[in-house]
Amino acid sequence: APWTSWSPNARSQTACGVSVTKTSKERRERRAKGVRAKMHGTAEQPRLSVYRSNTHMYAQIIDDDSQKTVCAYNTRMKDFEAGNTWGMEAAEVVGKKIAEKALAAGVEKVCFDRSGFKYHGRIASVADGAREAGLKL
């Protein structure tokens, strides 16, 4: 189809004879939607949602019942002390800081939402850092 363009990150699919291009972002969002359909954060066990960009890590603890963010931390905060913002060490620091904030807010146990990313590398480092700081995943 003339309105689609080829991208090295895209996978082409055919639906009803029309070629539809899916980007890696669209595929990740589809995976995340499937995970979130089965996962629901409550006041007793909120959801720890993690997002990874090329240069930063973001984490927030969400109570889906009241639709409120309990606490959040990312590598763009002023009190972030690690050297770089994109490595495994930075991800572990984000996990430790979000766990400290969660424990201060009275949250001890969370369910881990990897947001469609593989549980590997920086995503796993956030979870490991949160466990080290005393949060139960």
Side-chain angles (χ1 to χ4, degrees), residues 24 26-36 116-117:
S24 56
E26 289 170 336
R27 291 193 310 269
R28 183 193 66 79
E29 287 172 350
R30 181 187 56 79
R31 287 191 304 269
K33 193 190 304 185
V35 169
R36 288 194 189 116
F117 296 105

Side-chain angles (χ1 to χ4, degrees), residues 71-130:
C71 58
Y73 192 80
N74 61 58
T75 54
R76 300 179 72 191
M77 299 263 190
K78 300 246 188 237
D79 62 338
F80 182 73
E81 70 267 355
N84 66 15
T85 59
W86 59 86
M88 301 271 281
E89 300 84 16
E92 195 166 342
V93 168
V94 168
K96 287 179 182 175
K97 291 284 192 174
I98 195 75
E100 289 172 11
K101 285 187 164 196
L103 293 171
V107 175
E108 296 175 359
K109 190 174 181 183
V110 297
C111 52
F112 191 73
D113 177 11
R114 57 188 175 83
S115 301
F117 296 105
K118 281 186 180 178
Y119 188 82
H120 177 267
R122 293 189 286 159
I123 300 296
S125 290
V126 171
D128 293 340

